[in-house]
Amino acid sequence: MIYLQLFWEYFKIGLFTIGGGYAMLPLVSQVVIKYSWLTERQLADFVAVAESTPGPFAINLATFVGTTVGNGQGGFWCGLLGATCATVGVVLPSVIIIIVITKLLDKFRKSKIVDGLLYGMKPVVVGLLGSAVLSLLCREILPNLSTKTYTYNFDGFSVVSLLLVALFVPLSKVKFKGRKVHPILLILFSAVLGVVLFGVVGVGV
Amino acid sequence: MISILQEELVVRKKWISAEDFADMVVIAESTPGVIAVNTATSVGYRLRGVLGAIIGTLGVILPSFVIISALSYLINTLQDNTWYKSAFAGVRACVIVLVLNAFVNLGKQMDKDVFSVSLAVISFALVSFVNLDAIGFDVIYLIIFGGIVGVVISLCKNSHTNNQSDDLPLQQSSDLPNEEEQQ
């Protein structure tokens, strides 16, 4: 049943998200593609919305995916049920772990095993994130190219997307009064640019 | 969010000490999941046990839960709108940069030894160039694999260091290179 799937998959995601909210992205991507819940493009859109709404990005993303999957099944209440399954699923592993280890805090803090786990898991997550960047880049800039199926088709090259990415790399590093500019501002700005530039050029499929 | 939590809980309400809060952030960083939520859970548990942990967690996720549930309706209805499509085509370029920055930041946190770098490269190559979905290979297996190998290597390094220092006579320890300092 889809709600159990949502819960279980998000439970696994919550258990293996190491290294910050974005580390969740490759795991979520894998799941939504596997069950055909979302396209990668929709997921990218959701990432932006999740960044722009209050609350932790990763949780927002889980709620968003859950709501959308639920909405696909039925109306508002299905969406709510989906959101609950995903959100509870994603936080439950850490809640359980924290309750368990707080009692063993000292042992945990000095634990070589925990250090070892993090030491080994971080590189994998770095690799996964790198792959996510590559995948997103390909989808937006060279939509007919796929590294997985080895179709190196350069048609449909989107100059606009490439330029936007190139623009936002330095833009995201800009500091205002010593603090980095908040992602939501970047997202809003990119939305405006999108309307202007893609309104003229037209959005590819 | 951590700074807001600290401001509220340590400074304003004085429910926990700064040291305890720092402990909780450490736990939150080393456990899977989102730091913000983990800190809330940790504090909740410290203050009121299991019930506190649950309530703290619910509190932190509820606002976004409500907002996103409402927002997803808007998104659903707008998806075929041309303005929406154009705007989000631009937004997706920005998202690429956000994920890129997350990648770079985590890469900076990662140790730069042979093991870590090779593991990162292998993971990257595997996920980018092999159709894992087709063979049903879950990337979680990669993460687990990394964790296990990381523990093994970490424990080996440790016992090696311990053996070294056992051999060093006290007075001459300054002449011989110290394993730990080299790392």
Side-chain angles (χ1 to χ4, degrees), chain A residues 56-122:
Chain A
F57 152 75
I59 306 300
N60 289 348
L61 189 60
T63 310
F64 213 150
V65 172
T67 316
T68 309
V69 172
N71 279 335
Q73 295 295 105
F76 174 73
W77 295 107
C78 294
L80 210 56
L81 181 59
T84 311
C85 291
T87 313
V88 171
V90 91
V91 296
L92 205 56
S94 32
V95 169
I96 294 174
I97 292 179
I98 286 178
I99 290 178
V100 168
I101 61 157
T102 305
K103 291 186 184 168
L104 312 162
L105 175 59
D106 243 20
K107 281 191 211 163
F108 181 77
R109 236 195 311 201
K110 297 170 191 163
S111 169
K112 302 280 194 293
I113 295 190
V114 172
D115 286 343
L117 279 174
L118 291 174
Y119 166 70
M121 286 175 164
K122 272 190 185 167

Side-chain angles (χ1 to χ4, degrees), chain A residues 26-196:
Chain A
L27 301 175
V28 176
S29 175
Q30 183 183 250
V31 168
V32 299
I33 304 284
K34 173 175 158 192
Y35 292 94
S36 303
W37 285 338
L38 297 174
T39 63
E40 215 177 335
R41 167 172 283 198
Q42 279 176 301
L43 186 60
D45 293 349
F46 286 15
V47 167
V49 177
E51 263 290 0
S52 315
T53 37
F57 152 75
I59 306 300
N60 289 348
L61 189 60
T63 310
F64 213 150
V65 172
T67 316
T68 309
V69 172
N71 279 335
Q73 295 295 105
F76 174 73
W77 295 107
C78 294
L80 210 56
L81 181 59
T84 311
C85 291
T87 313
V88 171
V90 91
V91 296
L92 205 56
S94 32
V95 169
I96 294 174
I97 292 179
I98 286 178
I99 290 178
V100 168
I101 61 157
T102 305
K103 291 186 184 168
L104 312 162
L105 175 59
D106 243 20
K107 281 191 211 163
F108 181 77
R109 236 195 311 201
K110 297 170 191 163
S111 169
K112 302 280 194 293
I113 295 190
V114 172
D115 286 343
L117 279 174
L118 291 174
Y119 166 70
M121 286 175 164
K122 272 190 185 167
V124 175
V125 177
V126 171
L128 293 181
L129 277 172
S131 185
V133 174
L134 184 65
S135 178
L136 286 167
L137 269 174
C138 283
R139 280 241 177 209
E140 285 309 302
I141 298 175
L142 289 162
N144 290 309
L145 189 145
S146 166
T147 50
K148 282 192 193 176
T149 59
Y150 304 101
T151 39
Y152 291 99
N153 181 343
F154 290 88
D155 290 343
F157 172 60
S158 172
V159 184
V160 181
S161 293
L162 181 61
L163 289 176
L164 280 175
V165 171
L167 172 65
F168 276 86
V169 169
L171 214 56
S172 61
K173 305 282 195 329
V174 164
K175 290 196 182 175
F176 188 66
K177 289 185 186 171
R179 291 174 129 216
K180 272 199 195 151
V181 59
H182 195 286
I184 187 176
L185 291 173
L186 293 171
I187 290 172
L188 285 172
F189 184 43
S190 66
V192 170
L193 285 178
V195 170
V196 169

Side-chain angles (χ1 to χ4, degrees), chain B residues 95-135:
Chain B
V95 167
I96 292 176
V97 175
L98 293 178
V99 184
L100 181 67
N101 289 338
F103 164 70
V104 169
N105 288 333
L106 198 60
K108 286 185 192 168
Q109 283 181 33
M110 183 184 90
D111 288 338
K112 306 296 183 306
D113 57 324
V114 179
F115 166 71
S116 300
V117 176
S118 331
L119 192 55
V121 171
I122 293 173
S123 306
F124 171 78
L126 216 55
V127 178
S128 303
F129 300 108
V130 176
N131 199 341
L132 297 172
D133 304 316
I135 55 177

Side-chain angles (χ1 to χ4, degrees), chain B:
Chain B
M1 198 183 274
I2 306 238
S3 42
I4 301 179
L5 277 168
Q6 182 172 41
E7 180 64 30
E8 271 300 310
L9 301 168
V10 179
V11 179
R12 299 241 262 119
K13 294 227 162 58
K14 296 193 181 9
W15 284 345
I16 44 171
S17 68
E19 295 87 35
D20 282 344
F21 187 78
D23 280 348
M24 282 167 224
V25 175
V26 167
I27 298 181
E29 283 174 334
S30 322
T31 38
V34 181
I35 293 191
V37 175
N38 291 350
T39 312
T41 312
S42 208
V43 171
Y45 183 69
R46 204 47 104 82
L47 291 175
R48 285 290 182 277
V50 175
L51 189 62
I54 294 175
I55 301 224
T57 312
L58 282 179
V60 119
I61 61 181
L62 215 56
S64 27
F65 189 87
V66 170
I67 293 175
I68 301 256
S69 297
L71 215 57
S72 76
Y73 256 122
L74 206 62
I75 304 273
N76 264 325
T77 42
L78 285 176
Q79 280 208 0
D80 292 320
N81 179 297
T82 337
W83 294 103
Y84 174 97
K85 284 189 190 174
S86 306
F88 271 88
V91 163
R92 281 194 295 274
C94 183
V95 167
I96 292 176
V97 175
L98 293 178
V99 184
L100 181 67
N101 289 338
F103 164 70
V104 169
N105 288 333
L106 198 60
K108 286 185 192 168
Q109 283 181 33
M110 183 184 90
D111 288 338
K112 306 296 183 306
D113 57 324
V114 179
F115 166 71
S116 300
V117 176
S118 331
L119 192 55
V121 171
I122 293 173
S123 306
F124 171 78
L126 216 55
V127 178
S128 303
F129 300 108
V130 176
N131 199 341
L132 297 172
D133 304 316
I135 55 177
F137 182 83
D138 196 324
V139 292
I140 286 179
Y141 300 149
L142 267 176
I143 298 180
I144 295 176
F145 172 75
I148 294 177
V149 180
V151 172
V152 169
I153 292 189
S154 196
L155 290 174
C156 285
K157 267 192 203 170
N158 262 294
S159 56
H160 191 234
T161 316
N162 287 338
N163 288 339
Q164 281 253 321
S165 49
D166 284 345
D167 297 337
L168 290 172
L170 287 168
Q171 291 100 333
Q172 287 159 333
S173 55
S174 52
D175 299 332
L176 295 163
N178 189 319
E179 269 267 336
E180 270 167 90
E181 275 162 36
Q182 271 188 333
Q183 285 176 2

